[in-house]
Amino acid sequence: MHTPSAINIILIGPMGAGKTSIGRQLARRLQRPFLDSDKVLEERTGVDIRTIFHYEGEQGFRIRESAIIDELTRKQGIVLATGGGAVLGEQNRQWLSTRGTVVYLRVNIEIQLARTAQDHKRPLLQTKDRRSKLEALEEQRSPLYQEIADIVLDTDKHSISVIVNSLIRQLGLAPR
Ligand code: S3P
């Protein structure tokens, strides 16, 4: 695959897959701007994701998330990390798949549980049985991730820099 420099690189996948850490390092290596849709949403609203869920529910959050995804995917040449549920809306999937090269970062449940063990910020994980919640989300969402993925990468076994190197190779991009 050869990815022209104007094409966006869009990271999708479940919570704890490493979208933000991998995205940030990938952007640094490629000297591209890095944006995280949740981060942009928090900056815009002035409150955190938890607060949006608290006052507007998941439905309200999804409406805001969708508007941000539309806006950010219109940019060119960025690395974009999305929230785990960004693929839920059909319109979102269309924007993501037509406005960039989509990289699906996969992770197994044990690693996901370990990475999110101390998390108090993700509203969907503030439940007693995180394992069941993560399994249910996986079942619902993995076909959606798969549907729009140009590249699928497992993040379980390797360090961030090994994953980033592999991604750069698969994207056909030499770091500047
Ligand atoms: C969500 C994932 C979160 C964030 C919100 C909802 C989800 O992003 O968008 O808490 O539905 O999976 P991360 O995947 O970056 O944790």
Side-chain angles (χ1 to χ4, degrees), residues 15 19 38 49 61-62 65 82-85 122-124 141:
M15 295 179 267
K19 297 176 299 259
D38 281 337
I49 302 292
F61 168 76
R62 296 293 171 209
E65 179 182 49
T82 58
R122 293 175 171 103
L124 297 179
R141 296 173 177 181

Side-chain angles (χ1 to χ4, degrees), residues 5-21:
S5 58
I7 301 289
N8 296 322
I9 300 166
I10 300 171
L11 306 181
I12 62 167
M15 295 179 267
K19 297 176 299 259
T20 302
S21 332

